[in-house]
Amino acid sequence: MTYRAPLADFRLLLDRVLGFDQVAATALFADAAPETVEAILTEAAKLCENTLAPLNRAGDKTPARLENGVVRTSPGYSDGYKAITEGGWVGMSANPEYGGMGLPITLATCVNDMMGSACLALQLNPLMTQGQIDALEHHASDEIRSLYIPKLISGEWCGTMNLTEAGAGSDVGALRTRAEPKGDGTYAITGQKIFITWGDNDFSANVCHLVLARLPDGAPGTRGISLFMVPKFLPKPDGSLGARNDLKVVSLEHKLGLHGSPTAVMQYDGATGWLIGEPHKGMAAMFTMMNNARLGVGMQGVSVAEAALQQALAYAQDRKQGRTPLGEGAIIDHADVRRMLAQMKAETFSARAIALACAVAIDMARATGDAAWAARAALLTPIAKAYGTDTGNEVAYLGVQVHGGMGFIEETGAAQFSRDVRVTAIYEGTNGIQAMDLVGRKMMDGGEAAFRLIDEVQAAAEAARAEVPDLSKDLWTAAEALREATEALVAMSGHDRNAGAVPYLRAFARVLGAHYHLAAALADRARMPLTRFAIRRLLPEHAALLAQVREGAEGLYALTPEALGL
């Protein structure tokens, strides 16, 4: 497949829809001037189109493998990683004090979008490192920051996070990995972790693992967990590498997709580690990395959606079959194929807009210290992650469908998108967990952040009433229904909220997506047909979703195992 970066969509969203100019107007991000943004997007597009995209099929056909304890990566991945690091792309948003560019998360998110479309399996590596850099900047000691962050930014070292254990899964508090003080300021880490993305490789000098473990006096559950830096090689004070640490890759998982990304089972046998943050406060530190990764993973869903859309559109324009309302021609002229392609495009744009709106909020919160921006970023993070990855899965599914029988044949590459993107709805917190976070933690303010966002949607719809009365009315009405459902949700018990969490998140995304589509169409009239499709054909789903929210939990628990036929 020939991938082309969606630069026009980035420019439209940043310049005319999401208000990125307010980010660039802050003192912290004053360097993010329009000419700088244009140069970054253009150069990143070249990297992704010319260097990374050709690696995507190679990683799928020749997976990473474990040979005599050494991870061998897919053909070309070493060169691709080198190109990423030499361009400085890993540390785009990292602190300049340690060698980063100090650019907005919004720009880094755009670049990650392009990299994920080009080669998702490889892009996972710098994404994990970026999350680790963020966690260390916020929680590590000065000594750890000075030693590790420059190496991570340069790409000389890579970063991972180690949460999951067999038998614990999403219940992180059930972990059994332990940390024993060694009396010299370090700790002996012992235990096994599973599902460790890029747990090792053959192209970086060191792999730095952030590992959750429990100290001897740690309380049960998540309150007693601490976080430790456990590198593959023990660094000396000058940053050179010393002895190999007591850790190893036990095996690599055999996965549905993302074959080029080695997912490891890691064993720690008294490995030397350093405490990150305060004892027993590891979850707070790890959540910094996880929240960074959640936005990144949401954009990974968008990435795959974009790639699947581009391939399906090219195929539909080339494949000739049957008679259409427009005469003899390609299958894109069949109504249902046109419908599928329009849905793919509309959903991808909505999910990209929501993810970048989240990134803008993160940047504004960081640059201004405004609690309202921080609350918006927190609210949008689970929506960006869940809706973005649901979109990736749904668009990849439609991409296979557009190809017809050829979509089921591996040689076309359409199936790889479906296989690769499937896990994004699972890792970094399943989408059900994201939805419960939205209706739980993110509504602890009584829905204030949600209501502020709904107010903006309705104000924009009202302002557009003179130009597009039908579309603005539909959007305003949907936003009002979302407001009323949010009021009802806030009054519910947590049990009932959780039962309607997934449809609530989806309905919120539907309204936000329509809002950003309308703003885009008002900025560029050529987009009006797509906006009309999104508002008239996709937005109405919100009503059925919000009806589910009001049902609560009782009906679900009436469905006993016996009622389900088990």
Side-chain angles (χ1 to χ4, degrees), residues 89-94 105 108 112 123-140 149 152-153 158-161 163 208-210 227 229 276 284-297 428:
W89 300 110
V90 178
M92 279 187 64
S93 59
I105 286 286
N112 284 338
Q123 184 262 349
L124 269 165
N125 183 293
L127 181 70
M128 291 293 98
T129 300
Q130 289 167 348
Q132 186 172 110
I133 291 168
D134 197 25
L136 295 180
E137 283 186 0
H138 283 86
H139 301 284
I149 294 178
L152 293 167
I153 287 173
C158 293
T160 77
M161 61 177 172
L163 289 79
C208 308
H209 303 283
L210 281 182
L227 183 65
M229 170 60 78
I276 302 299
M286 185 59 86
F287 263 115
T288 298
M289 185 171 184
M290 288 177 66
N291 278 330
N292 182 299
R294 282 173 174 170
L295 173 58
V297 170
E428 302 310 330

Side-chain angles (χ1 to χ4, degrees), residues 95-129:
N95 193 330
E97 179 182 349
Y98 303 106
M101 295 185 190
L103 290 168
I105 286 286
T106 304
L107 288 185
T109 303
C110 291
V111 173
N112 284 338
D113 183 352
M114 290 184 269
M115 286 188 182
S117 291
C119 186
L120 181 60
L122 180 56
Q123 184 262 349
L124 269 165
N125 183 293
L127 181 70
M128 291 293 98
T129 300

Side-chain angles (χ1 to χ4, degrees), residues 6-14 16-17 306 309 341-353 468 471 513-536:
L7 294 179
D9 277 5
F10 289 135
R11 293 177 184 122
L12 176 65
L13 285 167
L14 296 182
R16 307 183 69 182
V17 175
E306 179 66 42
L309 166 63
L341 291 167
Q343 183 171 342
M344 294 169 76
K345 177 64 177 179
E347 297 279 36
T348 301
F349 182 83
S350 292
R352 177 175 287 125
V468 278
L471 300 185
H515 168 59
Y516 294 127
H517 269 287
L518 184 58
L522 293 175
D524 178 1
R525 288 292 175 157
R527 301 185 67 92
M528 192 60 74
L530 183 67
T531 293
R532 187 167 293 278
F533 178 92
I535 293 179
R536 301 309 297 270

Side-chain angles (χ1 to χ4, degrees), residues 177 270 283 442 449 554:
T177 298
M283 285 305 295
K442 306 305 163 58
E554 184 177 355

